[in-house]
Amino acid sequence: MSFILALDQGTSSSRAIAYDADGRTLATVSKPFTQHYPQPGWVEHDPEDIWNSQYACAREAFDIATAAGHALTAIGITNQRETTLLWNRRTGQAIHPAIVWQDRRTAEWCERYRAQGYSELVTARTGLVIDPYFSASKIVWLMNAIPTARALAEQGDLAFGTVDSWLIYKFTNGASHVTDVTNASRTMLYDIHAQQWDRQLCDMFGVPMNCLPKVLPSSGHFGDTRLFGGGVPILGCAGDQQAALLGQGCTRAGQAKNTYGTGCFMLLHTGAQAHVSRHGLLTTVAAQIHNTCEYALEGAVFNAGSAVQWLRDGLGIIERSADVFELAQSVSDTGDVFLVPAFNGLGSPHWDAHARGLLIGLTRGTTRAHIARATLESIALQSAEVLQAMQSDARIALTELRVDGGAAANDLLMQMQADLLGVPVVRPYELEATAFGAAMLAARAAGLTAFGAATNRTVKVFEPALAQSVAQARMQRWQEAVQRARGWTSVQINAT
């Protein structure tokens, strides 16, 4: 009996899930790793922590599955996107901590390029906006901050990669320096229409092209690893949100999903057409199977689960993240309290790197329960804002939203989401859609045709229960709070 090993390397933890040939879960292993915040707005990971935690998960899941009589057929990898690493090809060692997708240290660099009029070119080629979120500015910062980086690049000894590239490099013992098209499309260096690295952008930003990985389709051969005995092929690779789109069964134009993790990421499949957004969304590659490239519109919310972590670690009003749900349910509403969790700026549709978090509407009657409920509602409000922009861009009236990720298991949040959207929210059988999508890509390349039937199984549907006039009023109040959060830093800059 064969099995697929899916490796899901996330922002705060690494995970490995073993699936049998029909897509049923055999083993799930997860391990957290340390987040580093060296300065306000900076977020880093130790590359060896990423590797060691992911390999430990993979080994444990492998041992469980093989002990049950299954044989490993292939590996699929999915990863936190945009997080940027540089390493020495000769030593295999990273030359700096990984700069995480949430990191905002390059905000001024991005502002300069926007001010010089490059926004239109970048969006036309890459589908992205000039923002610290993406890898290009992080690469430039690393190249300038590390004295040896340029020399290594000139010698051909410097390798850049998002986390997928780093893991594949490590699993193949340095034999493969590759990425897939979905991860490449998140670097701000890849032409999503020509489907190749863009030399003009690389030259403009000062990124040596010889440090970039080879770009491959999302389902195919990325190399072999001998860490599980004989040679085992890595046959699938995709950024986490694109993997979740596939894992949710959203393979046709007009289907949409939202993943609730550290951030929230909503993708609307647009088929073979790459729609250019007029409302602050991103155009990205959904997947490439063989020679067929498909696209999606994406909205990126930077702080969702991280806002709950702030309640736990920053304010100390809950002991565990899971406690937020019971606390929020202890009150019937937020008491008109709003939280704008712009701890490291705002993503879609605002793209304001200087916005800062805001908690507003407090009275003497406000309790920690109101703040907890406002925190959950902020997740739903941000997602509703993104979906409104998507429907305007694609001119598609969505009939449902499919959801996954840890917080999607909470009924209160999902009901909030359905109420604000005015469409049903569908929670599927497989909440680990990200890992499942990576496994599907590997299974497809391995010829396991029965894999993936689980995407058609639904657990629960949340129907809208709030009058649309009330929902619209709530969205209006949210917009007022967002404008105050965006205005705060401009006042501070003017004062200094």
Side-chain angles (χ1 to χ4, degrees):
M1 294 181 288
S2 63
F3 77 96
I4 299 291
L5 185 59
L7 309 181
D8 181 0
Q9 204 296 303
T11 306
S12 56
S13 67
S14 295
R15 180 169 299 190
I17 302 180
Y19 297 96
D20 70 12
D22 294 322
R24 292 186 292 261
T25 301
L26 300 171
T28 300
V29 181
S30 180
K31 298 183 184 297
F33 59 90
T34 304
Q35 314 293 296
H36 300 277
Y37 306 96
Q39 294 186 35
W42 291 30
V43 189
E44 295 179 349
H45 291 158
D46 182 335
E48 292 302 319
D49 282 352
I50 293 174
W51 162 244
N52 290 330
S53 61
Q54 188 61 75
Y55 177 64
C57 290
R59 169 55 64 177
E60 190 171 336
F62 171 82
D63 289 343
I64 294 170
T66 53
H70 296 269
L72 180 57
T73 297
I75 295 171
I77 293 177
T78 184
N79 56 286
Q80 51 166 312
R81 304 169 304 171
E82 297 93 18
T83 294
T84 298
L85 300 98
L86 293 179
W87 64 90
N88 188 319
R89 295 181 194 269
R90 292 183 180 273
T91 66
Q93 298 296 309
I95 64 175
H96 189 275
I99 301 181
V100 181
W101 59 271
Q102 298 162 307
D103 192 283
R104 311 303 285 174
R105 74 185 67 183
T106 60
E108 291 185 2
W109 182 93
C110 292
E111 284 181 358
R112 287 198 300 272
Y113 274 89
R114 285 196 296 267
Q116 292 170 14
Y118 292 113
S119 294
E120 186 175 343
L121 171 64
V122 168
T123 298
R125 299 279 178 86
T126 70
L128 309 178
V129 297
I130 300 177
D131 190 83
Y133 179 31
F134 306 108
S135 305
S137 66
K138 296 176 173 63
I139 300 172
V140 174
W141 188 93
L142 289 166
M143 295 289 291
N144 293 333
I146 302 168
T148 59
R150 291 286 175 187
L152 286 171
E154 291 173 1
Q155 297 163 14
D157 292 335
L158 187 69
F160 153 73
T162 43
V163 173
D164 59 306
S165 294
W166 171 244
L167 291 178
I168 293 170
Y169 185 88
K170 298 289 275 187
F171 271 108
T172 61
N173 195 29
S176 294
H177 180 212
V178 297
T179 189
D180 93 297
V181 64
T182 68
N183 279 293
S185 75
R186 310 298 297 185
T187 60
M188 215 166 74
L189 298 171
Y190 188 78
D191 187 327
I192 63 173
H193 310 287
Q195 297 174 36
Q196 62 185 16
W197 295 116
D198 191 285
R199 181 171 295 278
Q200 182 179 358
L201 292 178
C202 289
D203 291 344
M204 185 173 76
F205 295 143
V207 175
M209 293 192 72
N210 65 357
C211 73
L212 302 177
K214 182 180 180 179
V215 182
L216 300 174
S218 309
S219 182
H221 189 236
F222 291 83
D224 300 300
T225 181
R226 298 194 172 276
L227 295 179
F228 302 100
V232 177
I234 301 169
L235 296 182
C237 180
D240 51 9
Q241 303 314 315
Q242 286 93 336
L245 189 71
L246 178 62
Q248 283 275 32
C250 297
T251 57
R252 299 188 305 275
Q255 295 181 311
K257 71 90 198 173
N258 196 24
T259 297
Y260 299 82
T262 301
C264 269
F265 300 90
M266 186 179 293
L267 269 71
L268 172 68
H269 201 294
T270 61
Q273 184 174 359
H275 285 272
V276 177
S277 175
R278 303 179 305 280
H279 298 89
L281 301 177
L282 309 174
T283 306
T284 194
V285 175
Q288 183 181 350
I289 310 297
H290 304 303
N291 295 322
T292 303
C293 193
E294 297 180 336
Y295 298 91
L297 281 172
E298 176 174 337
V301 171
F302 293 155
N303 290 286
S306 57
V308 176
Q309 293 168 0
W310 173 69
L311 295 183
R312 182 194 66 198
D313 303 333
L315 297 187
I317 67 174
I318 53 175
E319 292 185 5
R320 302 172 303 148
S321 292
D323 296 339
V324 70
F325 305 120
E326 182 178 354
L327 182 59
Q329 284 179 314
S330 69
V331 291
S332 59
D333 56 45
T334 69
D336 206 34
V337 171
F338 286 85
L339 171 68
V340 182
F343 304 130
N344 48 358
L346 289 169
S348 306
H350 306 288
W351 295 108
D352 187 341
H354 293 295
R356 286 298 175 263
L358 178 74
L359 185 61
I360 195 168
L362 303 177
T363 69
R364 282 296 300 269
T366 301
T367 67
R368 65 192 188 101
H370 292 111
I371 295 173
R373 194 175 182 104
T375 300
L376 284 186
E377 190 184 44
S378 76
I379 299 172
L381 285 162
Q382 290 178 97
S383 297
E385 189 176 33
V386 169
L387 185 61
Q388 289 177 353
M390 280 185 172
Q391 292 183 105
S392 296
D393 277 334
R395 298 181 181 178
I396 296 173
L398 289 180
T399 57
E400 66 177 27
L401 177 68
R402 300 186 182 187
V403 297
D404 60 78
N410 179 257
D411 287 0
L412 174 59
L413 176 57
M414 294 300 96
Q415 188 60 55
M416 286 178 171
Q417 193 68 85
D419 288 344
L420 289 169
L421 292 177
V423 299
V425 168
V426 179
R427 185 167 65 198
Y429 171 81
E430 183 55 70
L431 271 181
E432 295 295 344
T434 303
F436 194 70
M440 288 180 69
L441 289 167
R444 182 172 297 184
L448 299 180
T449 57
F451 197 97
T455 56
N456 296 321
R457 288 180 281 174
T458 297
V459 169
K460 189 169 182 178
V461 177
F462 298 85
E463 297 286 350
L466 190 67
Q468 280 303 290
S469 59
V470 178
Q472 290 169 3
R474 208 71 192 139
M475 291 297 297
Q476 180 59 41
R477 291 288 277 166
W478 165 254
Q479 290 295 336
E480 293 171 8
V482 167
Q483 290 309 309
R484 289 173 182 255
R486 298 187 67 184
W488 172 254
T489 301
S490 65
V491 173
Q492 295 298 92
I493 290 174
N494 292 338
T496 56

